[in-house]
Amino acid sequence: MEELALWDSSTATVFPATTPLAPRDEREVKVLHCHDMSGNYIEDKHINGSDVFHVYNFRHWQYIDIFIYFGHERVMIPPPGWINTAHQNGVKVLGTFITEWGPGESENLELINGREGNKYFYADKLIEIARVYKFDGWFFNFESKFPDEETTLKLVDFLSYFRQKIHVEIEGSISLWYDSILQDGQLKWQNELNSKNEIFFGCSDGFFMNYQWNEEKLQNSVNLAGSRKSEVYAGIDIFGRNTFGGGGYDTCKALDVICSESKRCSVGLFAPAWTFEVHAKDDRLLFDKHEEKYWEGQNFVDILAEDKQKWNFSGKLGKSGFSRVNPQDSYNGRSSKAVCTSFTWSERFKVLDLVKLGFSVSELDSSPPIIVSEWYAGNPPNTEDFYRMDVKLLDKHQKELLSWSSGELRTSASWKQISKKIVGYPAGVRYILFQDAGKDAEGWGGHFGAKIDAPSILVYKSQKFASISEYIAPRFPKMELPFRTSFNTGIGKKYCKEGQLVSSSSWNNIGHQEILPSTLNNIISGGRGHVELDYDNAYNGGSSLIFFPGRSGYETPNFSEFRLFETGICVPPSVGNLRASFSVLFGEENSTSLSLKLVWSNGTQHILRAERRVKEKKEEGGEEKKYEEGREDKGRKVVHPRKSKQEGSWTTFSFLFTPPPSPSSIVFIDAVVSSFASPFAPAINLGQIRIEEQRVKEGKESSELQRENMETKYSLSWNTASVERGEEVADVTLEWKDEEGHARYNIWNSEKTELLGVAFTKQFVIRALNFSQVREYLFFVQPVSYTRKQRFVAIVVKQQ
């Protein structure tokens, strides 16, 4: 409380969010996401991210309305990255004020009595913090009792003042109450809205009901709330701690009741990071799959996990070729199933019966996507051991229909994950044969060969899982031109800029997440294709979309049309022509193609085709290629690229076309993927989409050093331990002022060859610079602009 009392916006280090709340349509049944993950302030405490790749980066914003940054510090201020990304998607963000148990009782009294003769002193402070950091209100969670009803009525007065004032100070703000304190001051969770706690509902904008409600208590709450029933949030603890329905993948049992016609109040999801913490804390592939299952119903079964057979062993040594690895040496430091191999190829295999594992014949003949993965590493002293994985799809007689092999791979000291997605395979698959193997580089006796851990075979189910999307209709922000996305989720194994690798270091920054597809694998026509997030290839940032065509023949192509965005992009009447571009990464063969379909509100469709076989006219002295103009084709406007440009391994196609007569808006953006190759058609990546008015000119980078409108400074924080060792190591904080107020800044090294990071505030921290021998460092700050000439601003850091 003392820290809160002393907080002053004029002296505090303030780096607020920069993205305003995007407008979007309201829904009757609202959803709040109460983010409680290990107390929070983990990697996101670094306001411009950190060097950890695998973190919880929520991306299903279309299903929630409020994001609460929760934790157990007294005052939880949401980091700017979370605010920016939530606002970009039209989601409001609340901070948390919490008191707990005995120590919180005196702080409750301090809160309502105030300071300096102002009983609303702390209410004013909290409102000022929300206004300065640009979030949308507060969640009040009192888990410390008040002494009596008289004192509690002072709390009601405090909340009434707070609610009235924050609505004046911050448009659309929210004051949310948690079901804990009663009117007489007792700490006693009611698991419903009733006469003992309704006084707090009356002075708040919403009531977050505790998780142990039942149908009767929920109905009582709805009846008492009356016309405000949508402001009652029925709590569901996703970890299942005495929650109605059991939480987890049984969340739908609670949603069945909450969303029923007689109830239809709102939903409070507590700790949805359950998908990360329980199922996929160490595995990015599994995390993405569990998130898609929980939110979108993309169902799958890990058949290796479900199968109860023992491993079969082959090779010269048989079973003795394998030995258990200590858990601390496994891929995640705690697995008990890791094994290491011996001096000759140590092989093991399983034949998995898909029908016995719950798949119907018709389901299997639809060729559901299969994702095979495993972790492998070398064993010291020489960690360059050997590893191999083989997968065969077998028919009912266990005859081979299709096979894939990783080939012989060399390991290293670091654990690596290998994965293979198999789609579009022939009908008739009934079994999968999975085999892995490893051997030692030294050829020593004993077990010094490759280590193997966490094999997985995910097979998709045709029937969707009962997920959030079955009960909650998605809502998307209302967008305007320009529309831009590079499918960047806010994490990466590396960082790319316009198709070029600029940093090979892993990173995360939730504030760098862009507008993402409304849903993945929403195939509205065509065949059996599949789309995933790809963290190995990126155009901008750390990820792209990778499309796997379905089964086809050489004479009849297979195609799948994926609905990527439900946009509602309004195009003003003043717009003459539109300019669009998208970037693709072709497979090894010229057999897979990708087009974008823009569907307009009046029914018009523009098909933007990225064709490699179009007649080309190369400009002299340049890499750009120009193509023929667009034409009408069976009522659809097929637009061929005006030019293409090679950017690293990526090809960017540019288009120019005229929108339909106003009023008009782009309601859908679809990707159409087709291929002639069989059975393993090459995948194709989509790296970015841009749609803008033709008159917008993209800024070109300049190497000139310009300082106008940019004041810079830096500060050093010395590492005490290093100084005691006779070294001079310090963390350097770069700061700048920018009158133009750009939303994003790139930070470069002295040669401008390596991107050190991206800042969404006017501050960036560079850690552990060694001044023992180098006394001076040069860095560049680059404000990112799409409409003007870009510049680099130099900051010289000297040892002090």
Side-chain angles (χ1 to χ4, degrees), residues 115-374:
R115 281 194 181 196
E116 302 172 4
N118 176 11
K119 66 179 180 178
Y120 303 125
F121 175 86
Y122 288 107
D124 293 338
K125 284 282 185 183
L126 292 171
I127 293 168
E128 178 70 359
I129 288 172
R131 187 189 65 78
V132 168
Y133 287 97
K134 301 188 184 305
F135 58 97
D136 306 289
W138 289 94
F139 172 49
F140 288 100
N141 183 358
F142 292 95
E143 299 196 38
S144 298
K145 66 181 181 180
F146 285 74
D148 50 43
E149 184 169 348
E150 181 181 354
T151 310
T152 308
L153 291 176
K154 291 183 180 180
L155 173 62
V156 173
D157 177 60
F158 173 94
L159 294 170
S160 299
Y161 170 86
F162 179 90
R163 182 191 187 197
Q164 182 178 9
K165 184 171 182 180
I166 199 170
H167 286 177
V168 172
E169 294 281 332
I170 303 173
E171 183 179 357
S173 55
I174 295 174
S175 172
L176 188 67
W177 175 261
Y178 177 56
D179 167 21
S180 53
I181 299 296
L182 307 184
Q183 183 170 337
D184 63 7
Q186 290 186 71
L187 172 62
K188 193 173 183 180
W189 298 270
Q190 297 296 286
N191 304 298
E192 67 176 336
L193 177 65
N194 59 28
S195 59
K196 297 178 181 180
N197 57 26
E198 67 174 320
I199 191 171
F200 302 109
F201 183 47
C203 56
S204 303
D205 297 312
F207 181 85
F208 190 171
M209 193 162 68
N210 195 45
Y211 323 107
Q212 299 175 35
W213 49 269
N214 55 37
E215 291 193 51
E216 181 182 358
K217 286 178 178 287
L218 185 62
Q219 189 64 61
N220 291 341
S221 302
V222 167
N223 294 343
L224 185 57
S227 61
R228 292 185 64 196
K229 68 178 183 178
S230 66
E231 295 169 17
V232 174
Y233 296 84
I236 306 171
D237 184 341
I238 312 305
F239 278 80
R241 291 163 288 205
N242 298 315
T243 198
F244 184 91
Y249 283 130
D250 288 325
T251 296
C252 58
K253 294 179 180 178
L255 294 177
D256 262 335
V257 177
I258 295 169
C259 298
S260 63
E261 282 302 317
S262 63
K263 313 289 192 305
R264 297 199 67 74
C265 61
S266 290
V267 181
L269 301 175
F270 184 77
W274 169 84
T275 53
F276 182 95
E277 295 192 80
V278 171
H279 289 286
K281 203 167 187 177
D282 310 290
D283 193 319
R284 189 75 218 171
L285 172 64
L286 280 179
F287 171 65
D288 284 344
K289 297 302 108 190
H290 281 284
E291 279 283 276
E292 289 163 18
K293 181 176 180 179
Y294 184 82
W295 293 95
E296 298 178 1
Q298 187 68 260
N299 204 358
F300 63 87
V301 175
D302 187 341
I303 59 173
L304 269 179
E306 293 293 320
D307 183 68
K308 305 304 180 186
Q309 300 178 83
K310 293 182 178 180
W311 286 97
N312 300 292
F313 298 92
S314 57
K316 183 177 179 180
L317 298 177
K319 185 176 181 179
S320 63
F322 291 85
S323 177
R324 289 287 184 191
V325 171
N326 289 327
Q328 62 266 29
D329 296 324
S330 65
Y331 86 106
N332 62 6
R334 58 183 182 278
S335 170
S336 62
K337 296 184 178 181
V339 295
C340 59
T341 54
S342 193
F343 64 89
T344 188
W345 279 109
S346 305
E347 301 170 347
R348 62 179 185 173
F349 68 92
K350 280 189 176 187
V351 178
L352 300 128
D353 186 329
L354 296 172
V355 174
K356 284 186 177 180
L357 287 166
F359 291 85
S360 67
V361 169
S362 60
E363 194 171 26
L364 293 173
D365 286 344
S366 70
S367 305
I370 298 170
I371 302 177
V372 185
S373 66
E374 188 167 61

Side-chain angles (χ1 to χ4, degrees), residues 291-474:
E291 279 283 276
E292 289 163 18
K293 181 176 180 179
Y294 184 82
W295 293 95
E296 298 178 1
Q298 187 68 260
N299 204 358
F300 63 87
V301 175
D302 187 341
I303 59 173
L304 269 179
E306 293 293 320
D307 183 68
K308 305 304 180 186
Q309 300 178 83
K310 293 182 178 180
W311 286 97
N312 300 292
F313 298 92
S314 57
K316 183 177 179 180
L317 298 177
K319 185 176 181 179
S320 63
F322 291 85
S323 177
R324 289 287 184 191
V325 171
N326 289 327
Q328 62 266 29
D329 296 324
S330 65
Y331 86 106
N332 62 6
R334 58 183 182 278
S335 170
S336 62
K337 296 184 178 181
V339 295
C340 59
T341 54
S342 193
F343 64 89
T344 188
W345 279 109
S346 305
E347 301 170 347
R348 62 179 185 173
F349 68 92
K350 280 189 176 187
V351 178
L352 300 128
D353 186 329
L354 296 172
V355 174
K356 284 186 177 180
L357 287 166
F359 291 85
S360 67
V361 169
S362 60
E363 194 171 26
L364 293 173
D365 286 344
S366 70
S367 305
I370 298 170
I371 302 177
V372 185
S373 66
E374 188 167 61
W375 290 83
Y376 66 96
N379 223 350
N382 181 355
T383 58
E384 294 185 3
D385 296 318
F386 299 90
Y387 166 83
R388 190 182 73 239
M389 177 203 288
D390 297 281
V391 180
K392 294 182 180 181
L393 306 187
L394 311 176
D395 68 9
K396 63 182 180 180
H397 302 297
Q398 296 195 18
K399 292 184 178 179
E400 181 181 316
L401 294 174
L402 198 68
S403 65
W404 174 84
S405 176
S406 67
E408 190 174 288
L409 303 178
R410 298 304 295 264
T411 64
S412 67
S414 301
W415 283 93
K416 296 178 182 178
Q417 186 180 40
I418 183 173
S419 66
K420 174 63 180 177
K421 301 170 182 69
I422 305 174
V423 298
Y425 49 86
V429 172
R430 299 294 180 266
Y431 297 88
I432 296 178
L433 185 151
F434 175 87
Q435 179 174 328
D436 56 15
K439 73 173 182 176
D440 180 15
E442 295 97 338
W444 290 356
H447 298 89
F448 298 93
K451 296 185 290 186
I452 302 172
D453 202 359
S456 172
I457 304 178
L458 305 182
V459 183
Y460 279 66
K461 298 283 289 182
S462 57
Q463 183 175 359
K464 276 204 158 189
F465 183 79
S467 65
I468 300 293
S469 64
E470 188 171 321
Y471 299 89
I472 305 299

